Amino acid sequence: MTQHLAAPTHTLDGTRPGWWRDAVIYQVYPRSFADGNGDGMGDLDGVRSRLPYLKNLGVDAVWLSPFYASPQADAGYDVADYRAIDPMFGTLLDADALIRDAHELGLRIIVDLVPNHSSDQHEWFKRALAEGPGSALRERYHFRPGKGANGQLPPNDWESIFGGPAWTRTENPDGTPGDWYLHLFAPEQPDFNWDHPAVADEFRSILRFWLDMGVDGFRVDVAHGLVKAEGLPDIGGHDQLKLLGNDVMPFFDQDGVHDIYRAWRKILDEYPGDRIAVAEAWTPTVERTANYVRPDELHQAFNFQYLGTAWDATELRSVIDLSLAAMRPVGAPATWVLSNHDVTRHATRFANPPGLGTQIRDAGDRELGLRRARAATLLMLALPGSAYLYQGEELGLPDVTDLPDEVRQDPSFFRAAGQDGFRDGCRVPIPWTAEGSSYGFGSGGSWLPQPDSWGGLSVEAQTGDPDSTLELYRSALAVRREQPGLGEGDAVSWLDAPEGVLAFRREGFVCTVNTTGKAVSLPAYGQLLLASAAVAVDGGRVDLPADSTVWWAV
Ligand code: GLC
């Protein structure tokens, strides 16, 4: 049931045009951020109560993962009603209050939009199934007869990203086996047919609904997946799970998606206050990613190539150059991201040898991982463009790699028979206090167990400790605000540096990064602004500590 609001809508006053071009955007995963009602699950009230913390941290905007009505087959990325809040997260009035409070603090709110698929409990899909073959509502999804004498084989060879076939066979209302439907993700997430005008109309209306509520933008889930190639052709021998492979797949990155985003851009531009959209688009190359942010399309796209880069000076420099070069012709800002709710946290990725991908089961060398994670963050925040932070990275949280199988909830873990799908490890509720129930997450425990050591990593334990990761983030974001131009521009000037070290200049500023495991002696570049590890400047020289980043005012 869609809830209705009597209250008027609200927008952020004093908008700085182009605010998003250098914004630092903090991802809140609502289940795991703060629990307002003590049921062990985070909610909108919890988020609202912690907005002052986010303001004080120094971010510009908050992106909220889905909070819509959903059976939670994929933690809310299976939406049953795009205009309603799931009762476990609150009500539309709570969302309205959250948006208003955020705006009063000068924080912008970006919501997640999931247009590639709905939940199988969405009204359209439920009716499409119940009405049986011939239902007009089936045309809004991809229903097809099966292959084989009795239609017992899937209509094509596509596989679900979560493992297993991308098709599930339906049962007709009379109990006989029926047609199949397409789901690139879990069976509970049927893919929409974007060739159907009702689908496009519905999403334009959903955009307006949330824009009217006052949100400042959208993160577009699976933005590369909406349009499927004509005839849904087999892919043959391709290894389709490699999302960053060299080929455009018949279900990903089809050129037709861009028409959709051109239409959306017109709607966003109709609203005051620079409303934006950021694409979650996995494409074969950064150049193809740049297609999503042409001037008449979306504003930003996540830079997954950067997220996947190892802690290695040569590789980092190359991905930074490639990313900036790809965005330059379309005039969009580059974006940078190290962690999100789908990958192993970067403190744990960097604690392990390179080449293991973005879903890792081993804790690795924690101390090394944290050292590199702090350095990686300072590097990221010194680059031109917009940066995305994922809740808890400011505490230096590692992934929880030892969750028992019985508490796991990630559907991809189960569909991949426990060989993959370790996304629960980055979704464990974050610690606010050094002690107490779920370390201050809420009064009623936490939906995934937190490690015993997390009290020491809590906001409370780190606040005021100048060596803590939390204070490092606060200082970095403060310097970024005070140092005009740090996030602006579309280029960095590289300076000569020894092997394993990166050094680049921006206006009035130099960033040095030592990716090696040994200290490196260099002439000091200027006045020390901030460092990810203890550093001493002596007689005009500095020993850059192993795995560290230093910011200099020049
Ligand atoms: C995106 C989300 C991920 C979700 C998937 C299906 O990749 O980030 O969490 O499982 O889409 O909606």
Side-chain angles (χ1 to χ4, degrees):
M1 232 332 245
T2 299
Q3 304 157 49
H4 288 283
L5 258 197
T9 60
H10 189 258
T11 52
L12 182 62
D13 295 331
T15 293
R16 178 166 66 89
W19 64 268
W20 45 277
R21 301 189 72 88
D22 60 357
V24 176
I25 301 175
Y26 182 100
Q27 180 187 358
V28 162
Y29 195 65
R31 316 174 131 233
S32 305
F33 189 64
D35 173 14
N37 65 359
D39 65 355
M41 182 66 75
D43 47 41
L44 294 184
D45 235 16
V47 180
R48 193 177 161 207
S49 72
R50 299 292 184 182
L51 287 173
Y53 165 79
L54 296 175
K55 176 68 186 171
N56 183 255
L57 181 61
V59 300
D60 301 294
V62 180
W63 147 36
L64 294 147
S65 278
F67 43 61
Y68 311 108
S70 160
Q72 305 289 323
D74 183 21
Y77 282 96
D78 48 319
V79 180
D81 184 343
Y82 291 85
R83 297 180 187 79
I85 308 293
D86 197 280
M88 90 187 200
F89 293 125
T91 66
L92 268 186
L93 284 171
D94 296 331
D96 181 62
L98 171 61
I99 295 165
R100 283 166 190 276
D101 281 10
H103 286 174
E104 244 142 63
L105 288 169
L107 291 168
R108 291 181 167 81
I109 296 287
I110 292 171
V111 294
D112 220 306
L113 187 71
V114 190
N116 179 68
H117 44 263
S118 71
S119 159
D120 63 348
Q121 297 307 303
H122 189 283
E123 210 44 45
W124 288 0
F125 192 78
K126 282 200 296 190
R127 279 175 51 203
L129 277 191
E131 289 172 10
S135 161
L137 285 167
R138 291 197 173 201
E139 291 161 19
R140 300 181 186 188
Y141 295 90
H142 297 280
F143 280 85
R144 294 284 185 285
K147 286 185 176 164
N150 303 309
Q152 75 281 18
L153 300 171
N156 72 17
D157 64 358
W158 299 358
E159 281 173 21
S160 151
I161 308 301
F162 290 164
W167 295 90
T168 290
R169 193 166 196 186
T170 62
E171 193 175 86
N172 290 322
D174 66 4
T176 56
D179 286 344
W180 299 67
Y181 68 88
L182 176 70
H183 51 86
L184 291 181
F185 294 88
E188 296 88 351
Q189 294 168 295
D191 279 52
F192 282 118
N193 172 16
W194 269 86
D195 289 334
H196 197 293
V199 173
D201 280 352
E202 172 67 353
F203 274 90
R204 286 193 292 259
S205 156
I206 293 165
L207 280 180
R208 288 185 190 285
F209 178 86
W210 287 101
L211 289 166
D212 289 339
M213 284 278 292
V215 304
D216 301 282
F218 300 90
R219 177 261 189 191
V220 183
D221 189 63
V222 197
H224 54 310
L226 277 49
V227 172
K228 276 73 180 176
E230 182 78 38
L232 311 183
D234 281 341
I235 61 164
H238 280 290
D239 181 357
Q240 60 175 344
L241 288 180
K242 269 201 211 131
L243 294 180
L244 290 175
N246 292 323
D247 299 324
V248 174
M249 291 291 173
F251 42 82
F252 277 161
D253 201 28
Q254 294 289 306
D255 290 338
V257 294
H258 298 291
D259 295 334
I260 300 169
Y261 302 132
R262 285 192 195 99
W264 289 9
R265 180 59 180 259
K266 291 201 180 97
I267 296 174
L268 291 166
D269 285 349
E270 277 174 29
Y271 282 78
D274 239 359
R275 317 286 177 105
I276 67 154
V278 50
E280 186 216 18
W282 295 85
T283 72
T285 61
V286 274
E287 287 77 20
R288 285 198 71 93
T289 303
N291 288 340
Y292 289 75
V293 289
R294 288 177 283 199
D296 59 347
E297 297 195 36
L298 306 181
H299 298 71
Q300 295 183 340
F302 289 117
N303 187 343
F304 292 122
Q305 278 85 2
Y306 187 71
L307 186 149
T309 303
W311 183 241
D312 174 277
T314 312
E315 289 180 35
L316 285 165
R317 178 170 169 164
S318 145
V319 73
I320 291 168
D321 280 341
L322 279 174
S323 309
L324 291 167
M327 295 301 143
R328 217 169 280 132
V330 292
T335 66
W336 315 101
V337 60
L338 290 164
S339 281
N340 66 32
H341 67 292
D342 288 329
V343 298
T344 300
R345 286 180 178 278
H346 63 280
T348 299
R349 289 206 312 279
F350 294 145
N352 279 282
L356 297 181
T358 52
Q359 293 206 19
I360 299 179
R361 314 167 77 152
D362 291 319
D365 178 343
R366 286 238 168 114
E367 208 189 305
L368 174 70
L370 181 58
R371 215 164 54 229
R372 290 177 171 175
R374 290 164 56 103
T377 297
L378 283 201
L379 164 60
M380 171 170 88
L381 292 176
L383 294 171
S386 176
Y388 280 82
L389 308 179
Y390 176 53
Q391 65 176 43
E393 69 168 79
E394 77 277 22
L395 305 175
L397 292 187
D399 233 59
V400 182
T401 46
D402 57 357
L403 284 172
D405 288 357
E406 58 276 14
V407 304
R408 288 189 183 273
Q409 302 212 5
D410 181 357
S412 60
F413 179 78
F414 300 102
R415 303 234 346 138
Q419 296 307 304
D420 202 353
F422 296 101
R423 299 185 301 176
D424 290 308
C426 63
R427 299 175 176 180
V428 173
I430 65 171
W432 293 92
T433 54
E435 283 170 27
S437 163
S438 59
Y439 304 110
F441 167 66
S443 58
S446 107
W447 67 279
L448 281 174
Q450 300 156 301
D452 292 340
S453 56
W454 274 24
L457 292 174
S458 64
V459 171
E460 182 183 49
Q462 296 196 38
T463 298
D465 172 358
D467 295 332
S468 70
T469 302
L470 176 57
E471 294 299 347
L472 179 71
Y473 270 72
R474 282 192 179 131
S475 303
L477 293 170
V479 173
R480 202 178 144 101
R481 269 197 315 277
E482 285 154 17
Q483 184 90 14
L486 200 50
E488 288 169 18
D490 61 4
V492 299
S493 318
W494 296 105
L495 304 172
D496 284 343
E499 207 183 323
V501 175
L502 294 175
F504 59 88
R505 182 187 293 276
R506 317 280 321 280
E507 180 77 39
F509 176 90
V510 165
C511 177
T512 52
V513 186
N514 179 5
T515 65
T516 74
K518 291 205 178 85
V520 176
S521 174
L522 286 178
Y525 281 90
Q527 193 198 334
L528 185 76
L529 270 177
L530 191 63
S532 68
V535 62
V537 184
D538 192 14
R541 287 197 75 79
V542 58
D543 274 338
L544 289 183
D547 298 307
S548 72
T549 296
V550 181
W551 287 4
W552 307 91
V554 294

